[in-house]
Amino acid sequence: MSVGELGRVAMDPFSQLILLIALVSFFTFQWLFHSVSPWVSSRISPGFLRLSHKQKIEWNSRTVSTFHALLVGLFCLYILFFDDAVNQDPVWGDPTLVKINVGITTGYLISDLLLIFYYWRAIGDKFFVVHHVAALYAYYYVLGQGMLPYFANFRLLAEFSTPCVNQRWFFEVLGYPKSSKPNIANGVLMALVFFMVRIAVMPVYYCRMYSVYGTEAFYRVAFGGRCAWICSSICLDIMNVMWMHKIARGCYKVLRSGQHRKTDVQENGKTD
């Protein structure tokens, strides 16, 4: 295919629509961060107004990430259950719906990267930068060449763990004791959901990857696309295992503190 033909393919109406979706997504998430989250948070949670400037920045960032996670996560489930073309041909199946979902996520990731760099002292995190860049590198091939829609969509399942992770931070910054019932319930739910959507699904993901390895469809994927697919998957899963380890330790500590508190109350009840 010539350069001219590549240019025409890149500028087809659907590609322009995906570009528009990514741009709208970027500006929407910027608007949610700068305007919507502060306005809504100050009315829903009085504790928001007592936060420091850095805490408010992180609060708004996490609010936006929760909204994004629920939006693309639900879209992801719909594709996983009802998009037969993608499920039957995981490498080259019709990527229309996946491209729309990935376009939304691309806009969010670029928006979040911009905020991370601009507010580095408040929300800067090198692991999140690596995570976002690795994801964007892989999504470039999905959006640009329509390859690997099943695997791109499957990766977005991980977003379902985000709301609980953010809620833990909200409880902490609002002063909820780690041994409080809301904190314990959220901690247990966070560990379970994180394990289910990021760790337990690994065998399914890599078995499906192995099933297409060496096939004609696999070799039709450009070398750069294969590197983006395999290397990004391994990189993201290494970080997922690291995060799972931290979450499991935190959940264990919260459960232990809750058990100690319950024991103390029982002992005090006996002595009174």
Side-chain angles (χ1 to χ4, degrees):
M1 185 178 287
S2 67
V3 175
E5 289 173 329
L6 286 172
R8 284 193 293 273
V9 171
M11 293 304 293
D12 67 28
F14 186 67
S15 295
Q16 293 181 36
L17 174 62
I18 297 302
L19 178 60
L20 178 61
I21 288 173
L23 285 173
V24 170
S25 172
F26 171 85
F27 287 111
T28 298
F29 285 113
Q30 286 286 315
W31 173 63
L32 290 172
F33 174 86
H34 290 288
S35 300
V36 177
S37 176
W39 187 84
V40 173
S41 299
S42 62
R43 285 157 178 76
I44 293 179
S45 177
F48 174 78
L49 299 175
R50 298 192 294 269
L51 301 179
S52 66
H53 178 64
K54 288 184 178 181
Q55 288 174 326
K56 287 180 179 178
I57 291 173
E58 184 163 359
W59 177 292
N60 294 329
S61 175
R62 289 179 180 274
T63 300
V64 172
S65 76
T66 295
F67 175 79
H68 163 261
L70 294 174
L71 175 64
V72 302
L74 292 173
F75 199 178
C76 168
L77 280 181
Y78 176 83
I79 295 171
L80 195 63
F81 288 119
F82 300 108
D83 195 330
D84 294 333
V86 168
N87 292 316
Q88 292 173 7
D89 185 356
V91 182
W92 292 103
D94 180 12
T96 300
L97 294 180
V98 175
K99 277 190 172 185
I100 293 173
N101 208 19
V102 170
I104 295 171
T105 297
T106 297
Y108 165 74
L109 291 175
I110 296 174
S111 172
D112 200 46
L113 272 177
L114 178 64
L115 295 172
I116 287 173
F117 287 126
Y118 189 79
Y119 298 108
W120 184 263
R121 292 186 177 182
I123 57 175
D125 189 315
K126 60 184 179 181
F127 288 111
F128 277 108
V129 173
V130 172
H131 172 274
H132 286 13
V133 171
L136 287 171
Y137 176 57
Y139 289 156
Y140 164 78
Y141 288 93
V142 180
L143 297 179
Q145 301 182 32
M147 60 178 64
L148 307 168
Y150 172 87
F151 298 99
N153 185 69
F154 200 94
R155 277 290 166 192
L156 288 175
L157 278 174
E159 292 300 325
F160 276 115
S161 65
T162 300
C164 289
V165 174
N166 288 337
Q167 189 60 50
R168 182 183 68 167
W169 184 88
F170 291 142
F171 281 146
E172 180 181 345
V173 80
L174 289 174
Y176 280 70
K178 290 185 177 181
S179 57
S180 64
K181 289 183 178 180
N183 229 328
I184 292 176
N186 182 72
V188 173
L189 182 63
M190 177 180 65
L192 289 175
V193 174
F194 195 98
F195 177 78
M196 289 174 59
V197 301
R198 292 179 183 255
I199 306 299
V201 296
M202 284 186 189
V204 178
Y205 180 85
Y206 286 104
C207 282
R208 196 69 192 270
M209 182 187 290
Y210 180 76
S211 71
V212 301
Y213 180 81
T215 63
E216 180 185 354
F218 175 83
Y219 286 115
R220 283 173 58 200
V221 177
F223 178 75
R226 282 180 246 162
C227 289
W229 172 25
I230 298 171
C231 294
S232 294
S233 295
I234 294 173
C235 178
L236 292 172
D237 282 331
I238 289 173
M239 286 189 289
N240 283 332
V241 171
M242 293 170 57
W243 285 329
M244 184 72 246
H245 177 67
K246 291 182 179 180
I247 289 173
R249 289 183 60 188
C251 183
Y252 176 74
K253 290 180 180 178
V254 169
L255 289 174
R256 289 273 296 179
S257 64
Q259 186 62 37
H260 287 161
R261 182 184 176 187
K262 183 178 179 180
T263 302
D264 290 341
V265 169
Q266 291 174 344
E267 290 177 351
N268 291 334
K270 289 178 181 180
T271 56
D272 289 342

